[in-house]
Amino acid sequence: MAEPNAKRSKTDSKGKVCLVGSGIVGRSFAVIFSKAGYSVSLHDTVEQQLKDAMILIKAQLEDFENKGLLKDCVHQTADDAFSMISTTLDLKEAMDGAFFLQESVPENLELKQKIFKEFDALASKDMILSSSTSAIVPSRFTLNLKHTKNCLVSHPINPPALCPFIEILPSPETDQEVVEKTLSLWRECGMSPITVKKEVAGFVLNRLQYALMGEAYRLVENGVCSPEDVNTTLTDGLAMRWSLIGPFETIHLNAPKGVKDYFERYTASMEPIIQEQTEANTVFKQETIDKIHESMCRIAPVESIIERSKLRDSRLSALAVHRINEKAGIAVPTTVGDTMSNERTKVESKGKICIVGSGLVGRSFAVIFSKAGYSVCLYDNVEKQLKEAMILIKANLDDFESKGLLKYTAVKTADDAFSFVTTATDLKEAMSGAFFLQESVPENLELKQKVFKEFDSLASDDMILSSSTSCIVPSKFTLNLKHTKNCIVSHPVNPPALCPFLEVVPSTETNQEVVEKTLSLWRECGMSPITVKKEVAGFVLNRLQYALLAESYRLVENDVCTPDDVNITLTDGLAMRWSLIGPFETGHLNAPKGIKDYYERYGPPTEAVLKEQSETVLKFKQETIDKIHESMCRIAPVESIIERSKLRDSRLSALAVHRNNEKAKL
């Protein structure tokens, strides 16, 4: 790789690529191919559009160079990459000598059929003809052509130059060699291609996206949560993990013995929720579970799950540092020395919190509360577990300090935060003087009922009693208690100290003041709490997660794609966007007039895919669409969508830089 100030020589072209259509997708492909060393001929039928496109392409390449996103490319300067691009109004000229054509015209079947006939008439016998279509299977516009065996789909995610995911969909007639050459080309250009093995509506990306979006819509329609809270569930919870390891590796690391173990533990709670969402009798088959398990074991064998989880947490902490720096407006990652304050001021305790259970979740809460300046008494009935927990809590705090994650917290050093943490094997001692209790015992209804009766007998009248349960609604273990109005659920995402999402679920008897105090406490501790307004199975997080997992499972079971390709669809595609702006804002920015416009454009194909996925007929109602639209317009009014999209792209490019740096370390 050339030094930053070294004189660069012009690289010969690796070959010519023809791009048809100069909109955002066509322009993005020009960036992708040119920086990889390919000559690009960009074709459109309107000269002014080509002139505008070249201005925008040059600007994007310059932005990439400024941010270091060209340093590992064939062309490491914007000028060199831009020199590879030419434009023409003549399709024959554009295609002449090209080995690959990528079409990016509007999503209209008759138009696709028309232009592919034109391509077919002009193409050389070995030219690959590829379409960017997001919804039309290739057999509908490529059959009965002379070069039908050379035709396929290469569907990216918006914006393509910043999210490396791309799905390759051949028709039944496509030559396998063409598929392999296309995959190889995209990999060489720095993309992360997957293969869609069958022609299915929505391909892989949109089937996964629509599954989650369908449940997100239902949660809003049914008054379970707000559109903003759906977005927070993704940005600060699910998508943080998925952007690193995808949904299948997430569950692989969330059970001691991997995917098989996960399905054994959670199928009983997952299937009823999925059946409620789809009104279909979903049964997870062992054969498919085994297939997913084997794929994930190639990434992380069962005996290495603990180490792989440590790597996940290390990457999550690096992502957390990136997010903190981004919020603070720091363009370049700081060094450890820069992040630490020279002043060390002793912080007085803000109050006492009792944590019941010293496992992973309990330990994480000890870190969260102590660094926020609260005294923590960690209770467990086994002394040895408490001793081991304290070692791990101190190590976690030391790691946070070394990475700058205590920079903006009330307590700036690991030692000072750790001094706030004590332990007890006596529950009465642990609860004495505490204003808030967070329970993190195993997920068992009888055990929850038992411990909450104990809490009730020892609690002061104003103590808030909170549970970490992931799926048991609070009324099942908090009613008929003396302090039932003080009882609530605060359910985090794993690992809680690194993913700030947390859902607060009151029972029908919980006092509203308790809800507000709980939300305020979590916000003060740096968390991103949402309110679940109704007691529903799975709350919000797991209902969204299970909707996506169910479709992920079906795609593998029906041999549409591999488990690894499901993960890539999230890590290098959907979750990159969702981790920044969530699913509703993603839709809002993907249509010129916002989310209303999005549903007008994409509502029918979304409903068609959802109908295929489920026996439930979901019809998008205008009243709910308006509610979502109003919420998103508070974030980005329609007239500011272009500017907000630029901010999204700026954040995506910063995330891309962070990911490149992390890959270099790995």
Side-chain angles (χ1 to χ4, degrees):
M1 189 178 75
E3 293 299 318
N5 297 313
K7 187 176 180 181
R8 296 174 180 85
S9 61
K10 187 170 177 77
T11 304
D12 291 333
S13 170
K14 294 178 179 179
K16 180 179 174 182
V17 171
C18 171
L19 302 179
V20 177
S22 61
I24 184 171
V25 177
R27 298 194 303 266
S28 295
F29 281 135
V31 169
I32 290 164
F33 284 116
S34 65
K35 67 187 176 72
Y38 288 94
S39 298
V40 172
S41 183
L42 181 62
H43 166 74
D44 210 314
T45 56
V46 181
E47 187 166 4
Q48 187 58 49
Q49 289 181 358
L50 287 172
K51 289 179 179 178
D52 293 343
M54 290 296 273
I55 293 168
L56 293 167
I57 290 166
K58 184 69 187 313
Q60 184 159 36
L61 285 167
E62 287 172 347
D63 184 60
F64 273 35
E65 181 179 0
N66 291 337
K67 290 173 177 170
L69 288 171
L70 298 183
K71 68 179 182 179
D72 296 318
C73 299
V74 171
H75 286 303
Q76 296 173 15
T77 72
D79 286 344
D80 283 352
F82 190 67
S83 72
M84 306 295 284
I85 306 170
S86 61
T87 64
T88 179
L89 296 170
D90 186 328
L91 179 60
K92 183 178 180 181
E93 179 187 339
M95 290 179 65
D96 186 41
F99 74 95
F100 188 87
L101 178 148
Q102 182 68 33
E103 164 272 306
S104 304
V105 303
E107 195 76 345
N108 177 283
L109 177 59
E110 289 182 2
L111 178 59
K112 301 280 186 191
Q113 290 170 332
K114 176 179 178 291
I115 61 169
F116 264 79
K117 284 183 181 177
E118 294 178 34
F119 300 156
D120 192 46
L122 296 170
S124 61
K125 66 175 183 177
D126 54 357
M127 182 186 288
I128 297 173
L129 305 176
S130 178
S131 171
S132 301
T133 178
S134 63
I136 307 171
V137 295
S139 62
R140 297 189 72 189
F141 57 89
T142 67
L143 294 189
N144 302 319
L145 300 179
K146 184 170 59 174
H147 299 97
T148 187
K149 292 183 183 297
N150 293 2
C151 297
L152 43 58
V153 166
S154 298
H155 172 232
I157 188 170
N158 185 39
L162 292 168
C163 297
F165 170 85
I166 190 163
E167 55 190 341
I168 310 306
L169 174 60
S171 81
E173 298 300 316
T174 306
D175 193 286
Q176 185 57 34
E177 186 181 359
V178 167
V179 177
E180 295 302 327
K181 284 182 177 179
T182 303
L183 290 166
S184 179
L185 175 64
W186 288 121
R187 290 190 189 106
E188 188 187 347
C189 292
M191 304 296 280
S192 302
I194 73 163
T195 305
V196 186
K197 301 177 188 177
K198 294 179 179 179
E199 288 193 331
V200 290
F203 311 160
V204 170
L205 181 134
N206 278 328
R207 289 186 77 86
L208 291 171
Q209 179 167 236
Y210 294 166
L212 186 134
M213 286 288 284
E215 182 57 25
Y217 171 91
R218 282 188 288 263
L219 287 167
V220 174
E221 182 172 76
N222 295 332
V224 176
C225 67
S226 69
E228 292 93 342
D229 283 349
V230 167
N231 281 349
T232 299
T233 306
L234 274 294
T235 59
D236 289 8
L238 290 170
M240 280 189 73
R241 300 188 307 192
W242 288 343
S243 69
L244 299 179
I245 57 175
F248 283 139
E249 190 179 348
T250 293
I251 66 173
H252 189 61
L253 301 186
N254 271 4
K257 296 179 181 177
V259 166
K260 282 185 185 180
D261 189 13
Y262 183 91
F263 277 100
E264 286 174 10
R265 289 167 180 259
Y266 300 111
T267 289
S269 58
M270 287 170 63
E271 285 184 341
I273 293 170
I274 294 166
Q275 286 168 12
E276 180 192 324
Q277 291 169 334
T278 64
E279 292 187 4
N281 188 25
T282 301
V283 177
F284 295 120
K285 296 176 183 175
Q286 194 59 48
E287 181 184 355
T288 307
I289 293 170
D290 290 346
K291 186 175 182 180
I292 299 166
H293 183 80
E294 287 164 13
S295 289
M296 294 307 101
C297 282
R298 287 194 287 272
I299 298 169
V302 169
E303 61 272 16
S304 73
I305 281 177
I306 292 174
E307 287 306 309
R308 185 77 178 180
S309 298
K310 288 178 182 177
L311 175 61
R312 173 204 63 195
D313 292 355
S314 174
R315 293 182 67 197
L316 275 171
S317 65
L319 180 59
V321 171
H322 167 75
R323 287 158 63 103
I324 288 170
N325 288 340
E326 186 184 46
K327 283 180 183 177
I330 300 170
V332 180
T334 56
T335 65
V336 173
D338 290 332
T339 63
M340 302 310 301
S341 171
N342 291 324
E343 297 181 11
R344 183 173 173 179
T345 307
K346 182 70 177 175
V347 178
E348 296 295 323
S349 171
K350 297 176 180 178
K352 180 180 174 181
I353 288 172
C354 171
I355 296 173
V356 176
S358 61
L360 171 63
V361 177
R363 296 194 304 268
S364 296
F365 281 132
V367 169
I368 290 165
F369 286 122
S370 65
K371 67 186 177 69
Y374 288 94
S375 297
V376 171
C377 187
L378 182 62
Y379 167 81
D380 209 309
N381 54 15
V382 181
E383 181 79 35
K384 184 183 177 185
Q385 289 181 0
L386 287 171
K387 288 179 179 178
E388 291 171 353
M390 292 295 274
I391 294 169
L392 293 168
I393 290 166
K394 181 61 163 64
N396 204 177
L397 286 166
D398 286 339
D399 183 60
F400 272 38
E401 182 178 358
S402 71
K403 290 174 177 170
L405 287 170
L406 300 184
K407 183 179 180 183
Y408 297 109
T409 55
V411 184
K412 306 294 184 187
T413 73
D415 287 343
D416 284 350
F418 190 65
S419 71
F420 279 118
V421 186
T422 59
T423 63
T425 53
D426 184 321
L427 181 59
K428 184 176 181 180
E429 176 190 339
M431 291 179 63
S432 178
F435 73 94
F436 189 88
L437 178 148
Q438 183 68 34
E439 164 269 309
S440 303
V441 304
E443 194 78 344
N444 177 284
L445 177 57
E446 290 182 2
L447 178 58
K448 299 282 187 192
Q449 291 170 331
K450 177 178 178 291
V451 296
F452 265 78
K453 282 183 181 177
E454 294 179 36
F455 302 157
D456 192 46
S457 66
L458 296 170
S460 61
D461 287 342
D462 55 358
M463 182 186 287
I464 295 173
L465 305 176
S466 178
S467 172
S468 302
T469 178
S470 62
C471 62
I472 307 173
V473 294
S475 61
K476 286 193 173 183
F477 57 90
T478 66
L479 295 188
N480 303 317
L481 300 179
K482 184 171 60 173
H483 299 98
T484 187
K485 293 184 182 298
N486 293 2
C487 295
I488 202 164
V489 165
S490 299
H491 172 233
V493 67
N494 182 39
L498 292 169
C499 297
F501 169 83
L502 195 138
E503 54 192 343
V504 173
V505 191
S507 78
T508 51
E509 298 297 316
T510 306
N511 191 298
Q512 185 57 33
E513 186 180 359
V514 168
V515 178
E516 295 304 325
K517 283 182 176 178
T518 302
L519 291 167
S520 178
L521 174 64
W522 289 121
R523 290 190 190 107
E524 188 187 349
C525 292
M527 303 299 279
S528 303
I530 72 162
T531 307
V532 183
K533 300 173 186 176
K534 294 180 179 179
E535 288 193 329
V536 291
F539 309 152
V540 170
L541 181 134
N542 277 327
R543 291 187 76 86
L544 292 170
Q545 178 168 234
Y546 293 167
L548 187 130
L549 270 174
E551 182 56 26
S552 300
Y553 170 91
R554 285 190 290 265
L555 287 167
V556 174
E557 182 173 73
N558 296 330
D559 199 32
V560 175
C561 68
T562 67
D564 306 272
D565 284 349
V566 167
N567 281 347
I568 290 169
T569 307
L570 273 294
T571 60
D572 290 8
L574 290 169
M576 282 188 71
R577 298 189 308 194
W578 287 344
S579 69
L580 300 179
I581 57 176
F584 283 135
E585 191 179 346
T586 294
H588 190 60
L589 300 186
N590 270 2
K593 296 179 182 178
I595 198 89
K596 272 189 188 178
D597 188 15
Y598 179 90
Y599 277 106
E600 285 176 12
R601 291 166 180 257
Y602 304 112
T606 303
E607 287 175 344
V609 172
L610 288 171
K611 184 179 179 182
E612 185 184 317
Q613 291 172 337
S614 162
E615 292 181 13
T616 305
V617 178
L618 178 63
K619 287 290 182 184
F620 295 123
K621 297 176 183 174
Q622 195 60 48
E623 181 184 355
T624 306
I625 292 170
D626 290 346
K627 186 176 183 178
I628 298 168
H629 185 78
E630 287 165 13
S631 291
M632 293 306 100
C633 283
R634 288 195 287 272
I635 299 169
V638 169
E639 61 271 17
S640 72
I641 280 177
I642 292 174
E643 287 306 309
R644 184 76 177 181
S645 298
K646 288 179 182 176
L647 175 62
R648 173 204 64 195
D649 291 355
S650 175
R651 294 185 68 199
L652 275 171
S653 64
L655 180 60
V657 172
H658 166 74
R659 285 159 62 101
N660 286 348
N661 292 339
E662 283 297 295
K663 283 179 183 176
K665 290 177 188 176
L666 291 172

